[in-house]
Amino acid sequence: MTPSKTGKIFFFLTLVLVLFQGLGHHAGASDDALEENTVSLDWSSITVLDLETAQRLAVADNPSIQATEIRIQQAKERISQARAAYWPRLDATASASRIWMPDNEYQDNLYSARMFDPGATIDDPQDYYQAGLTTTWLLFDGFERRYKTRRALNTKDQTISARDDARRLLLSSVSLSFLSAELARENIDIARTDEAFFNALLEEAKSRRQIGTGSLSDELNFQIQANAAISDRIQAEGAYKTALHSLAALLGLADASLPVHVELAPLEEATPEEMQVPDTRQMVAYALEHRPEILQTRLAIQNASLEKKMANSNYAPTINLTASVKGEREADARFEGDDFGNTIGLNMTFNLFSGGLYRAQSREAMQKEMEARKLLEDLKINITAEIRTTITNVITFQTQLKLQQSITRLSQENRDLVEKEYKAGQASLVRLNESQRELTSAQNRTALALVALRQSWWSLMSETGMITEDEAFNYLSNSN
């Protein structure tokens, strides 16, 4: 080989190394972009936390969601790994060795050399240097590379669907936790109202006893009822703090506590959209089209089919193109063009017998595909059952809420009447206590029915897959 050709080869090798460095720099830039995508949102501008904002914060800051994003990046790199099989492989080799000859071999070589030149000498030890470039290019493998690349693409889509499913479950948990916290705070307000009512009656009873028209038993009764209301308030406050810690953990806050300047949005009344009956067919149809698990299972079916094709590709020949440039030199490493030789070849490998390995692999993939199809059928049945059950719960809680709202209105009117009658001396103290307890109980049950209805709606949004899209808040446009 001429020196000019050798120079071209080393120039090509240098170019390849520069290209690899550029790809490495690009990968580093991707890592930087990933770091930028994990920047937390600013809490300083939030004073009232509503459900929509809580969900947005959870998706942005929850570590488990960030972990799924990283898994997506890993899946993308596996696509690059699969596509790398389409490119030729270039390897550089180099070696240096020093060889000490056995004494017998040295004497034999020296004797042979001196047959032609009595003054000849032989170097011992001897230095040998080798250098070379080898390239291998897979030209045909029965389309296995194509199937592997398509499988890697499907795996990436599966990872994205897994991310979406993790978001769905997280948003559902945030919704339920947020509403539980709102219920606890509503119970606090009810207990405070109950406490204020009995404290007002207590003060009035004290005034009456001072002027001789009241009794100590009335005063003690109102004190007991006020203390009971305080106990209920303390219990509700504990439940509220617990719910806030759970919510903060879902939002990805390191100390599992909301900032001190942030408070929850108030529990609003049920909206007309929440009081309408869901369309079961529409909900089921949407879920079977958009639920992330459905998409994952469909992709698993496709991957099983691709694995079968990959196994069958082993029945085709494999064709490789190889080329190499190798040089060897004694004494020193100052290679010249005359030290190099080159080889080029086309190799074909065709398997004639492998003990039934490839046939077993093909059958295994076929069974995987059948399994995935059955799992898809089972998943559809379970999703349909979940949606129908949740819709039944929605309808039940709608009816309960209407009834409890009516009971609360009647209890309020009854308590007000009994209070007036008691102050006029026409109703007993026992009747006043009962009417207030009935009102407080009715208010608690109304709040519970409202939150249960809203939680059922958000469970339905999760089970249909709407919760991961903007359609959930559009469907419940005026709800929390």
Side-chain angles (χ1 to χ4, degrees):
M1 178 181 291
T2 62
S4 61
K5 290 184 178 180
T6 304
K8 290 180 180 179
I9 292 174
F10 282 103
F11 172 77
F12 175 70
L13 176 61
T14 304
L15 181 62
V16 171
L17 293 176
V18 172
L19 177 61
F20 285 168
Q21 289 179 350
L23 292 176
H25 176 73
H26 177 71
S30 299
D31 293 339
D32 294 339
L34 183 60
E35 291 294 333
E36 292 176 359
N37 290 335
T38 59
V39 175
S40 299
L41 299 180
D42 184 16
W43 279 87
S44 61
S45 60
I46 301 173
T47 56
V48 178
L49 181 65
D50 57 19
L51 179 54
E52 185 173 5
T53 303
Q55 290 183 352
R56 181 166 54 86
L57 291 168
V59 171
D61 290 350
N62 189 277
S64 63
I65 300 300
Q66 294 172 356
T68 61
E69 296 288 352
I70 296 174
R71 283 195 288 272
I72 292 174
Q73 298 300 322
Q74 296 174 21
K76 290 180 178 179
E77 295 304 324
R78 284 192 289 271
I79 295 174
S80 299
Q81 295 172 28
R83 288 174 173 167
Y86 285 96
W87 291 89
R89 178 185 177 92
L90 179 65
D91 297 295
T93 59
S95 66
S97 58
R98 172 165 289 185
I99 300 176
W100 284 265
M101 289 184 292
D103 291 341
N104 292 337
E105 182 179 351
Y106 175 79
Q107 293 297 331
D108 290 343
N109 291 340
L110 182 61
Y111 176 77
S112 298
R114 288 182 175 178
M115 289 180 61
F116 302 98
D117 183 3
T121 60
I122 296 178
D123 294 334
D124 186 29
Q126 293 180 333
D127 294 334
Y128 292 91
Y129 298 90
Q130 293 180 341
L133 285 175
T134 302
T135 181
T136 304
W137 196 356
L138 179 63
L139 300 180
F140 181 73
D141 63 349
F143 304 107
E144 184 176 0
R145 291 176 297 183
R146 177 189 298 178
Y147 301 141
K148 284 185 177 180
T149 302
R150 287 172 57 185
R151 185 180 62 176
L153 290 168
N154 285 345
T155 302
K156 183 204 70 172
D157 292 338
Q158 281 184 304
T159 309
I160 293 174
S161 294
R163 185 272 314 273
D164 293 341
D165 194 48
R167 290 179 64 230
R168 179 183 70 86
L169 296 175
L170 174 64
L171 293 175
S172 178
S173 298
V174 169
S175 302
L176 299 181
S177 180
F178 184 92
L179 292 169
S180 296
E182 284 193 324
L183 175 61
R185 191 178 61 181
E186 189 72 12
N187 289 334
I188 293 174
D189 294 338
I190 293 172
R192 284 174 177 169
T193 302
D194 191 29
E195 178 186 351
F197 174 78
F198 283 113
N199 280 332
L201 291 176
L202 175 61
E203 294 301 323
E204 185 175 344
K206 289 179 179 179
S207 300
R208 286 183 177 182
R209 195 164 71 87
Q210 288 177 356
I211 62 177
T213 60
S215 64
L216 178 60
S217 61
D218 286 358
E219 183 177 337
L220 294 176
N221 171 78
F222 293 137
Q223 183 64 64
I224 292 171
Q225 299 299 329
N227 289 343
I230 293 174
S231 177
D232 292 339
R233 174 175 56 81
I234 292 173
Q235 183 178 1
E237 288 174 346
Y240 180 61
K241 291 179 180 178
T242 301
L244 287 183
H245 289 312
S246 299
L247 177 61
L250 292 171
L251 299 183
L253 294 173
D255 57 354
S257 296
L258 293 179
V260 294
H261 67 278
V262 175
E263 62 178 15
L264 294 189
L267 181 64
E268 302 291 344
E269 296 293 331
T271 63
E273 289 78 10
E274 290 175 319
M275 298 306 293
Q276 66 183 359
V277 177
D279 187 331
T280 302
R281 286 189 177 181
Q282 177 186 358
M283 293 296 179
V284 171
Y286 188 95
L288 297 183
E289 186 65 28
H290 294 87
R291 272 283 288 265
E293 306 99 305
I294 295 288
L295 302 179
Q296 281 183 279
T297 309
R298 288 173 177 168
L299 289 169
I301 294 174
Q302 294 181 18
N303 277 350
S305 177
L306 289 172
E307 288 182 12
K308 178 183 176 181
K309 293 178 179 179
M310 288 165 55
N312 292 336
S313 67
N314 290 304
Y315 293 110
T318 301
I319 302 175
N320 288 282
L321 175 65
T322 61
S324 63
V325 177
K326 293 183 179 180
E328 183 174 346
R329 187 176 178 86
E330 296 183 13
D332 60 63
R334 292 190 293 270
F335 286 96
E336 298 178 357
D338 294 339
D339 296 322
F340 286 91
N342 57 77
T343 304
I344 186 169
L346 189 65
N347 302 324
M348 183 190 76
T349 303
F350 187 74
N351 177 260
L352 299 179
F353 182 71
S354 60
L357 173 64
Y358 303 139
R359 182 174 58 183
Q361 290 176 342
S362 178
R363 289 179 176 177
E364 179 188 6
M366 185 185 303
Q367 296 298 324
K368 283 185 179 180
E369 182 178 359
M370 293 173 62
E371 176 192 8
R373 292 187 183 279
K374 292 299 181 182
L375 291 175
L376 180 60
E377 292 179 13
D378 183 66
L379 181 60
K380 289 180 177 180
I381 293 173
N382 290 333
I383 289 175
T384 302
E386 289 176 0
I387 291 175
R388 289 186 178 276
T389 301
T390 304
I391 289 178
T392 300
N393 292 337
V394 168
I395 296 173
T396 299
F397 290 128
Q398 286 173 342
T399 305
Q400 285 186 349
L401 179 59
K402 292 177 183 178
L403 180 59
Q404 290 300 329
Q405 288 173 336
S406 176
I407 293 174
T408 300
R409 286 193 298 268
L410 295 174
S411 298
Q412 182 72 54
E413 294 177 6
N414 180 62
R415 199 285 312 270
D416 293 342
L417 289 174
V418 173
E419 181 184 6
K420 292 178 182 179
E421 292 172 356
Y422 170 78
K423 292 180 179 180
Q426 298 176 357
S428 66
L429 179 62
V430 174
R431 185 71 190 98
L432 179 60
N433 289 339
E434 289 178 351
S435 64
Q436 177 60 23
R437 283 197 297 269
E438 289 171 355
L439 174 59
T440 302
S441 177
Q443 290 173 335
N444 286 327
R445 289 196 301 269
T446 300
L448 178 60
L450 174 58
V451 170
L453 171 62
R454 197 156 284 162
Q455 286 180 330
S456 296
W457 268 113
W458 281 105
S459 294
L460 182 59
M461 294 296 101
S462 174
E463 290 163 1
T464 58
M466 288 184 181
I467 199 169
T468 58
E469 308 291 340
D470 294 333
E471 296 189 31
F473 279 100
N474 293 335
Y475 194 89
L476 305 172
S477 56
N478 296 320
S479 63
N480 264 348

